[in-house]
Amino acid sequence: MKLILARTAFLVILAVTSACTRCDSKKENKDAVDDDKEISNKNSELYKIYDLPKNIVWESNDEEPVYASEQAKKGGTFHSFLSSFPLTLRNVGPDSNGSFRSVINDNQLGLVEIHPNTDNVIPELAEEWAYDPDGVTVYYKLNPKARWSDGKPITADDFIFQWEFMRSKHIVAPWYNDHYSKEILSVKKYGDHILSITGHLKKPKNDLHYYYGMSPRPRHFHKLDENWVKNYNWKVEPNSGPYQISEVKKGKLIILKRKKDWWAKDLRYFKNRFNVDRIEYRVIRDLNVAWEHFKRAELDAFSLTLPDYWHDKSKIDVFTKGYTHKVWFFVDQPQPDYGMWLNQAVDIFKDRNVRLAFAHAMNFEKVLKEVLRGDYFRLQTGTTGYGKYTNTEIRAREFSIKKVTQLMTSSGWKRGADGIWIKGKQRYAVRVTYGAPHHTERLVVLKEEAKKAGIELELQLLDANASFKSMLEKQHQVAWTGWGPQYRPQYWGQYHSENANKPQTNNFSNTASKEIDSLIDQYKNELDEETRYGLARKIQAAIAYEGAYIPTFLVPYFRQGYWRWWKFPKVAATKMSESLFDLFGSTGGLFWLDQDTKEETLGAMKAGKSFAPVTITDKTYKIY
């Protein structure tokens, strides 16, 4: 899980984020955001070298188990696809918060990482780290071998520039402006390869790395001015990770190539990983068309999590003759917040009774049983899978026409001639915006059942990026989407009033509750872990009470089909993996291509020879 606090990307699946006088730092940060010219004038001050405090105790960690295989081989191409082409190659600013952003971010290393199986801190760009007694500052010693993809060294200046960059109005990213101004109070250097980051509140050690961690930004590559968004829309930024974008055909294709001289390739936690030479993403907008590509070996893997693919569509020769394999892999990790967000800026949803009636009109149990074949679970609340942070007492509202009737009549509504609720000239007909065509079947069932309860749904299917952009701009009435899990539960972006009724924020429900604001502010500022657990549970209860977020489905596993020439470690993935073919990040690059097996398989297909069919169920990390 990437230790860079960030707004999580939309799920086509999900997606980041020295000792100085604190009050002075807060004032300096506020000035920096309010006036970018002031930042420029302070450049010499920002980049000056400080004296490292005495008695720094450096630590590292090369004792965690490796999870790659020594049998791994380098080479080959992995063929994947995108359901829509990204709107930009920037990872911040307008239109950047789409699904491809994770590819960009995960090829940009952070200072440290959390080991995906043990949850302990391990090195990435930093070889060592140390904690200041103040409880808010961490010192980092950079690996002097670290290089950008253009060969330039990565230095402390690139981290200071990232801090400066993320506070600039020129990037048009209010969330980042806020976080890097209010949460990260200073970034200082003590030479080219030593820096410190100071946050504004004390936190447990691991949490310091997460909340105040960052990746660098190549200072030599950027000209930060009022034209930055436009000028860098399609530029390929140098990165520090194993792959770099090498070819872009707009609307059609993106290719990444492995850096064969990558500076980190022999480090303990990177060795024998990121094995394929080339990753090819073709735009295939229709899932059924992508399935046909997979059957012809033009795609190397395909998600079978959808029940009809796992149970029915996979009953074809490529599986029954053993050319492709099936895997059902259970994970142990925080779960995505899949759901429906009711836009409270829409008149009809300003009434809480009407919102609750909407929830009771959604027959998710029928969808689970008839469409999803009983393979999925009902998500009871957001923040599921976070241990003590999760409020297990919250239960999702069940389908009940009786409760819909009680709620609507109590707010002065009555059934019209066609059975739909009306109040004066207002009719209970709302639009549900979504960006995944294969979800249509689920929504059709919900639409049919909602009509029985007196609510009419209009289903608006858009391209994935267009759907997400519509939600960011608050043009939706009901948003059907999901948010990827994070290291710790986050609520400010999605539920704080500072992000309500504003474009380009994640508060899709336009929630603006003083009670929720107060709880979120306390949660953000609380150091004591037990108190934080309690605040998180109270926030979830308050969100559930408001009724603007309706949890949908829980899927604590992934299922895939893949061609038999792909090989894996003994345990093929980690407890935090989202796929056998995670390509990047802390869980990525564990698989490799066996060219001999590929030639054997293609030869057998041509000759009509079969292999034994293979279905693997891996419960190594199963908890549900």
Side-chain angles (χ1 to χ4, degrees):
M1 184 175 290
K2 202 71 175 172
L3 283 187
I4 306 166
L5 191 60
R7 293 191 301 168
T8 310
F10 165 69
L11 292 173
V12 175
I13 349 178
L14 176 295
V16 255
T17 164
S18 278
C20 62
T21 304
R22 186 168 305 170
C23 57
D24 291 341
S25 296
K26 286 182 178 177
K27 181 178 185 301
E28 179 181 342
N29 290 339
K30 183 178 185 301
D31 292 343
V33 173
D34 288 344
D35 190 348
D36 286 309
K37 293 180 181 179
E38 188 72 13
I39 287 183
S40 298
N41 292 336
K42 291 181 179 178
N43 272 351
S44 59
E45 181 71 15
L46 286 175
Y47 292 90
K48 77 177 185 180
I49 299 176
Y50 289 80
D51 293 327
L52 191 67
K54 297 179 180 180
N55 302 319
I56 291 292
V57 179
W58 294 102
E59 60 184 74
S60 189
N61 184 1
D62 61 356
E63 298 177 354
E64 302 303 312
V66 296
Y67 44 101
S69 171
E70 293 183 357
Q71 306 302 314
K73 301 175 183 177
K74 302 294 184 186
T77 296
F78 182 78
H79 302 87
S80 189
F81 77 100
L82 302 170
S83 61
S84 60
F85 198 80
L87 299 174
T88 180
L89 293 181
R90 290 179 283 97
N91 69 341
V92 295
D95 301 325
S96 65
N97 203 14
S99 59
F100 192 75
R101 181 173 174 269
S102 63
V103 174
I104 298 170
N105 282 353
D106 287 345
N107 273 293
Q108 200 72 277
L109 302 183
L111 287 158
V112 297
E113 185 56 277
I114 292 293
H115 189 286
N117 288 332
T118 68
D119 300 328
N120 292 325
V121 179
I122 56 176
E124 277 205 346
L125 288 171
E127 290 185 308
E128 299 178 89
W129 49 92
Y131 302 97
D132 194 279
D134 67 6
V136 295
T137 300
V138 184
Y139 301 90
Y140 296 97
K141 187 180 295 184
L142 298 177
N143 189 322
K145 296 179 181 178
R147 292 290 184 274
W148 294 111
S149 46
D150 60 7
K152 302 278 187 186
I154 296 173
T155 70
D157 283 353
D158 295 310
F159 288 88
I160 296 171
F161 178 69
Q162 172 77 318
W163 187 52
E164 176 184 5
F165 176 93
M166 288 296 201
R167 297 183 303 154
S168 169
K169 289 182 179 178
H170 294 322
I171 67 174
V172 193
W175 191 95
Y176 289 110
N177 289 167
D178 184 88
H179 175 74
Y180 281 82
S181 298
K182 296 179 180 177
E183 300 298 320
I184 297 180
L185 299 187
S186 75
V187 181
K188 296 182 178 181
K189 72 173 183 176
Y190 306 86
D192 285 344
H193 295 105
I194 299 178
L195 68 139
S196 68
I197 299 175
T198 298
H200 93 290
L201 284 174
K202 294 181 179 180
K203 295 186 182 295
K205 288 182 177 180
N206 278 16
D207 287 21
L208 285 173
H209 295 294
Y210 176 71
Y211 286 103
Y212 307 139
M214 63 169 66
S215 62
R217 181 80 53 176
R219 187 185 182 197
H220 64 278
F221 179 76
H222 291 276
K223 181 181 179 182
L224 187 57
D225 59 22
E226 65 275 7
N227 298 313
W228 180 85
V229 167
K230 178 181 177 181
N231 290 344
Y232 287 82
N233 205 40
W234 295 106
K235 288 188 177 182
V236 177
E237 184 182 43
N239 66 31
S240 55
Y243 291 91
Q244 179 66 302
I245 296 172
S246 63
E247 183 178 349
V248 176
K249 293 183 180 179
K250 288 185 181 179
K252 296 181 178 180
L253 176 74
I254 299 178
I255 293 174
L256 284 76
K257 287 188 176 178
R258 181 170 62 87
K259 303 171 188 174
K260 295 188 178 180
D261 59 349
W262 184 42
W263 67 274
K265 63 185 176 67
D266 294 321
L267 297 181
R268 174 177 176 82
Y269 302 110
F270 291 127
K271 192 175 182 180
N272 298 314
R273 294 173 60 195
F274 311 114
N275 300 303
V276 293
D277 288 341
R278 192 169 175 268
I279 298 165
E280 180 180 294
Y281 293 98
R282 291 197 175 274
V283 175
I284 306 175
R285 301 181 187 278
D286 189 303
L287 194 64
N288 292 316
V289 175
W291 176 245
E292 295 302 316
H293 281 263
F294 172 70
K295 287 158 59 177
R296 296 194 296 267
E298 294 166 2
L299 294 176
D300 285 301
F302 195 91
S303 173
L304 302 179
T305 299
L306 293 173
D308 56 337
Y309 281 93
W310 181 263
H311 294 288
D312 301 325
K313 292 188 177 184
S314 59
K315 292 178 181 178
I316 54 176
D317 282 356
V318 292
F319 286 101
T320 60
K321 293 184 177 181
Y323 307 139
T324 55
H325 296 173
K326 296 169 68 176
V327 64
W328 188 333
F329 195 98
F330 289 85
V331 294
D332 174 10
Q333 59 181 282
Q335 294 297 306
D337 288 352
Y338 292 116
M340 304 176 83
W341 278 264
L342 312 185
N343 185 350
Q344 295 175 86
V346 177
D347 284 344
I348 200 167
F349 289 135
K350 291 179 179 178
D351 185 334
R352 177 174 175 267
N353 281 347
V354 175
R355 298 196 300 269
L356 299 188
F358 187 94
H360 284 297
M362 298 296 107
N363 195 344
F364 289 109
E365 289 304 319
K366 187 170 184 177
V367 176
L368 287 166
K369 182 179 179 180
E370 296 187 2
V371 179
L372 300 174
R373 313 282 283 272
D375 291 352
Y376 291 13
F377 306 90
R378 178 72 197 272
L379 184 66
Q380 300 298 331
T381 178
T383 318
T384 292
Y386 289 86
K388 292 181 180 180
Y389 288 95
T390 300
N391 189 334
T392 56
E393 295 181 1
I394 298 174
R395 311 308 294 172
R397 294 179 172 91
E398 77 283 7
F399 178 70
S400 172
I401 295 176
K402 179 179 179 181
K403 289 185 177 179
V404 172
T405 301
Q406 292 171 343
L407 289 160
M408 296 301 291
T409 54
S410 68
S411 285
W413 292 70
K414 64 180 181 179
R415 291 266 199 158
D418 60 355
I420 303 302
W421 292 101
I422 57 172
K423 184 177 183 181
K425 294 182 179 180
Q426 193 170 35
R427 188 167 180 270
Y428 204 158
V430 294
R431 184 179 65 253
V432 180
T433 301
Y434 66 111
H438 59 282
H439 286 188
T440 299
E441 187 179 6
R442 308 174 193 184
L443 283 161
V444 166
V445 172
L446 291 179
K447 177 178 179 176
E448 293 170 349
E449 294 296 297
K451 190 172 184 179
K452 297 176 185 177
I455 298 175
E456 183 175 300
L457 303 184
E458 174 194 344
L459 305 185
Q460 183 186 41
L461 173 62
L462 301 176
D463 167 272
N465 283 324
S467 170
F468 189 61
K469 183 174 183 178
S470 173
M471 297 169 194
L472 282 174
E473 298 295 332
K474 312 300 165 57
Q475 295 171 356
H476 64 285
Q477 294 180 336
V478 179
W480 172 278
T481 187
W483 295 99
Q486 301 193 47
Y487 181 60
R488 295 283 188 261
Q490 302 298 319
Y491 304 103
W492 186 84
Q494 287 172 257
Y495 295 108
H496 199 285
S497 63
E498 285 192 32
N499 299 304
N501 303 300
K502 296 178 183 177
Q504 295 294 322
T505 73
N506 295 346
N507 190 340
F508 287 178
S509 59
N510 278 318
T511 293
S513 159
K514 290 183 179 180
E515 178 193 358
I516 292 176
D517 284 355
S518 176
L519 289 169
I520 290 173
D521 291 340
Q522 292 176 61
Y523 175 78
K524 286 180 66 179
N525 298 331
E526 181 56 54
L527 177 61
D528 179 74
E529 218 163 24
E530 290 296 328
T531 305
R532 278 175 60 82
Y533 295 151
L535 286 167
R537 294 193 291 265
K538 287 180 180 178
I539 292 169
Q540 293 160 57
I543 292 169
Y545 175 82
E546 288 293 316
Y549 163 63
I550 303 168
T552 55
F553 308 115
L554 170 65
V555 191
Y557 58 80
F558 59 79
R559 298 190 296 210
Q560 284 181 292
Y562 61 92
W563 287 86
R564 65 188 293 271
W565 49 74
W566 293 105
K567 306 298 180 182
F568 309 90
K570 185 176 180 181
V571 178
T574 75
K575 72 176 186 179
M576 299 299 292
S577 297
E578 295 178 351
S579 163
L580 290 187
F581 297 94
D582 281 354
L583 294 163
F584 320 108
S586 64
T587 62
L590 302 185
F591 60 96
W592 66 94
L593 173 67
D594 187 312
Q595 188 62 38
D596 291 340
T597 303
K598 183 172 184 177
E599 292 175 4
E600 176 192 37
T601 306
L602 295 176
M605 292 172 68
K606 187 175 182 179
K609 177 184 174 182
S610 299
F611 304 96
V614 175
T615 298
I616 301 166
T617 301
D618 193 315
K619 298 182 180 181
T620 303
Y621 304 115
K622 188 177 188 297
I623 58 172
Y624 291 98

